[in-house]
Amino acid sequence: MSLPNCPQCDSNNISRNGIIKERQRFKCKDCGYNFTVEKIGKSIESYYVIKALQLYIEGVSYREIERLLGVSHVSVMNWVKKYQVKIPKQTLYHPTYKVMNHKELAEFYANRDNLKGAGMIVTELGDKFMLIKWERFKK
């Protein structure tokens, strides 16, 4: 079994340091930090963190991100704080989004009227796709 890296200093100079609540405890020989490995099933893949931050930057609310990705809105708020993500100020554009399956997305692109007067980005959400469209506000 390979030993994990230290979460504090990312060193691989680690030793075992007992068992607590049936979980192996480790100690970093470089910085002295004691830690246990994460429980299986409790960590969230970086895919969801990145996708949640992308959606937040695009103007999707915390609760909507929660419904789309299935992660807690509190987790999304914590990631925004942790990575110090700021939404760019937008005054001339209004983002809207639609969640579609592959067939609906192909039909959307087939209609040329849907492609005029707006910028778009498509991102994958599991077996579906999210189309984010920026439309200019009418003056």
Side-chain angles (χ1 to χ4, degrees), residues 6-110:
C6 174
Q8 194 75 18
C9 68
D10 203 33
S11 169
N12 61 357
N13 192 9
I14 303 296
S15 65
R16 293 183 177 172
N17 193 21
I19 295 177
I20 295 196
K21 295 183 183 177
E22 300 177 10
R23 291 172 52 199
Q24 179 66 56
R25 186 173 171 106
F26 298 95
K27 182 172 185 173
C28 177
K29 293 179 182 176
D30 292 339
C31 70
Y33 185 70
N34 285 300
F35 64 97
T36 57
V37 294
E38 293 183 22
K39 291 181 183 176
I40 296 174
K42 288 292 181 184
S43 65
I44 295 179
E45 292 179 29
S46 62
Y47 167 84
Y48 291 104
V49 176
I50 293 167
K51 195 60 71 175
L53 293 174
Q54 285 175 339
L55 294 174
Y56 175 75
I57 288 172
E58 299 303 336
V60 180
S61 73
Y62 293 129
R63 296 278 183 172
E64 290 173 298
I65 295 170
E66 176 180 42
R67 286 188 284 272
L68 291 167
L69 297 180
V71 296
S72 166
H73 67 280
V74 175
S75 294
V76 177
M77 285 190 285
N78 290 336
W79 297 333
V80 167
K81 287 179 190 172
K82 178 179 179 180
Y83 297 109
Q84 300 175 357
V85 175
K86 303 223 183 311
I87 297 177
K89 292 183 180 176
Q90 43 183 303
T91 55
L92 299 176
Y93 297 95
H94 173 67
T96 57
Y97 70 91
K98 294 179 183 181
V99 177
M100 305 177 201
N101 61 31
H102 183 267
K103 182 180 176 186
E104 293 168 332
L105 184 63
E107 290 170 1
F108 181 86
Y109 274 114

